[in-house]
Amino acid sequence: MRQAFSDTLVALAKADPNVLLLTGDHGYALFDAFRKECPAQYINAGIAEQNMVGMAAGLARAGFRPFVYGLSAFIPVRVIEQIKLDIAHDNLPVVLCGDGAGFVYSHLGTSHQSTEDIACTRAIPQLRIYSPADRFELVRCMTQSYECAQPVYLRMGKADLGDVHAGALSGSIEELIQLRVGSDTRVALLATGSMAKAAVDAHEQFFPDASVWSVPSIKPLDNASILELASRFNAFIVLEEHSTIGGLGSAVTELCSEFHPVRTLRIGVNDRFSHKCGTYQYLRVEHGLDLENIRKKISSFVGLPASVKTA
């Protein structure tokens, strides 16, 4: 996914000299290609994220198209006020790229684990939120972020979990994307970001009759499609590597409670911090986001068989 991010950013910058990349002293290999191909469009703003967002707002006012990169624990969480007042209030075309969302930077502890970023940004008017599941969704999210010329928060999670799509995507990224088709109308799985791969794995290993959708756009949400699914399925399972408070699960339940109530299980991070540091895989288990815990939660919630495996 990170290679796709680099390639797409370079392509956008080469096509439009007004595209700028601002980073908070991230000098590693991710930006080697950009610095080589577009050196005049690269700005290292230093470890001063609030100032960097203010710079991006000023540059956008001057006609530039800034992409602001940082770890999601800092972009957007550390700079919420600047995003709200400097960028979103005036609807400026700035793309905020938050890398390492969820538990990616697991060993660095709570300061670098980002499970509240969607909740923090959802309530800011005029700010779109994209959460790609793989490199193909990421390319479409970045392209659409550039084309829409509005404020966007691009949330990037675990980069090496594998693809959920077979190839490049077309059409709007602000629509649900069906990943697997099932025959059981008892449950529909809606997943975003890194948890889309977990939803596909759960379908293939345990629940082959369940249908699975990816939700790359948290805001705007594809309300029409979700309400149509609510009319056809008995229950939703929403999976996200984010707090169960204020994320995709909250957005889905808020919508459905008003227009078409449907039982919904939110599989995400409960209202607590991590108890221990460890690997990414360890933290997925600690917070109940590993495949076995997902199987148990779904089975308990909708009464699907506890262990159904495809051939």
Side-chain angles (χ1 to χ4, degrees), residues 23-26 28 46-53 68-83 96-102 105 108-117 120-121 153-154 156:
T23 75
D25 207 27
H26 296 281
Y28 42 73
I47 304 175
E49 289 86 355
Q50 293 96 330
N51 185 58
M52 179 167 63
V53 171
V68 179
Y69 176 92
L71 306 189
S72 62
F74 310 117
I75 304 289
V77 176
R78 177 174 288 175
V79 294
I80 286 295
E81 180 184 4
Q82 286 73 29
I83 292 172
L96 302 147
C97 306
D99 198 1
Y105 292 98
L108 297 180
T110 297
S111 64
H112 285 63
Q113 294 167 15
S114 180
T115 60
E116 65 287 303
D117 50 312
C120 291
T121 51
Y153 169 46
L154 177 63
M156 296 184 288

Side-chain angles (χ1 to χ4, degrees), residues 163-240:
D163 296 327
V164 297
H165 299 282
L169 304 175
S170 59
S172 174
I173 204 66
E174 295 176 358
E175 299 175 355
L176 300 189
I177 306 173
Q178 187 160 16
L179 300 178
R180 297 293 186 272
V181 178
S183 58
D184 196 330
T185 58
R186 282 180 293 177
V187 61
L189 276 61
L190 307 177
T192 192
S194 61
M195 295 302 287
K197 183 65 166 61
V200 168
D201 290 344
H203 163 90
E204 294 179 346
Q205 296 187 36
F206 304 119
F207 308 113
D209 295 327
S211 297
V212 182
W213 279 265
S214 176
V215 188
S217 178
I218 309 295
K219 183 185 176 186
L221 197 61
D222 187 357
N223 293 354
S225 294
I226 289 175
L227 292 174
E228 191 275 330
L229 293 179
S231 71
R232 292 197 288 119
F233 288 87
N234 296 338
F236 283 159
I237 310 296
V238 181
L239 302 96
E240 57 189 320

Side-chain angles (χ1 to χ4, degrees), residues 110-306:
T110 297
S111 64
H112 285 63
Q113 294 167 15
S114 180
T115 60
E116 65 287 303
D117 50 312
I118 295 174
C120 291
T121 51
R122 270 186 65 215
I124 298 178
Q126 304 189 127
L127 179 64
R128 296 171 184 245
I129 304 172
Y130 296 154
S131 173
D134 67 3
R135 55 182 167 148
F136 301 113
E137 287 190 10
L138 176 66
V139 171
R140 283 298 302 132
C141 284
M142 292 184 68
T143 303
Q144 192 152 328
S145 296
Y146 173 80
E147 292 171 348
C148 76
Q150 291 179 307
V152 175
Y153 169 46
L154 177 63
R155 183 183 204 253
M156 296 184 288
K158 188 67 171 169
D160 57 357
L161 297 178
D163 296 327
V164 297
H165 299 282
L169 304 175
S170 59
S172 174
I173 204 66
E174 295 176 358
E175 299 175 355
L176 300 189
I177 306 173
Q178 187 160 16
L179 300 178
R180 297 293 186 272
V181 178
S183 58
D184 196 330
T185 58
R186 282 180 293 177
V187 61
L189 276 61
L190 307 177
T192 192
S194 61
M195 295 302 287
K197 183 65 166 61
V200 168
D201 290 344
H203 163 90
E204 294 179 346
Q205 296 187 36
F206 304 119
F207 308 113
D209 295 327
S211 297
V212 182
W213 279 265
S214 176
V215 188
S217 178
I218 309 295
K219 183 185 176 186
L221 197 61
D222 187 357
N223 293 354
S225 294
I226 289 175
L227 292 174
E228 191 275 330
L229 293 179
S231 71
R232 292 197 288 119
F233 288 87
N234 296 338
F236 283 159
I237 310 296
V238 181
L239 302 96
E240 57 189 320
E241 196 174 318
H242 181 275
S243 173
T244 54
I245 300 172
L248 174 62
S250 294
V252 169
T253 54
E254 289 161 12
L255 172 68
C256 292
S257 68
E258 184 173 358
F259 296 103
H260 203 301
V262 60
R263 291 183 67 226
T264 302
L265 172 64
R266 293 171 295 161
I267 297 180
V269 180
N270 290 330
D271 187 23
R272 68 172 181 85
F273 295 112
S274 300
H275 292 157
K276 298 178 181 178
C277 289
T279 64
Y280 175 78
Q281 290 75 17
Y282 163 77
L283 285 174
R284 286 276 290 256
V285 174
E286 181 186 310
H287 289 275
L289 301 182
D290 60 299
L291 199 56
E292 178 60 17
N293 273 299
I294 290 170
R295 179 188 69 80
K296 292 177 180 178
K297 291 175 181 179
I298 295 176
S299 298
S300 175
F301 187 72
V302 295
L304 292 179

Side-chain angles (χ1 to χ4, degrees), residues 1-49:
M1 187 184 290
R2 289 189 175 186
Q3 187 62 51
F5 174 79
S6 175
D7 291 345
T8 305
L9 193 57
V10 168
L12 290 171
K14 292 178 74 172
D16 181 356
N18 288 320
V19 170
L20 303 177
L21 170 62
L22 284 72
T23 75
D25 207 27
H26 296 281
Y28 42 73
L30 176 62
F31 300 127
D32 283 354
F34 193 95
R35 287 193 295 255
K36 179 180 179 181
E37 298 288 337
C38 311
Q41 293 162 262
Y42 176 83
I43 300 173
N44 185 348
I47 304 175
E49 289 86 355

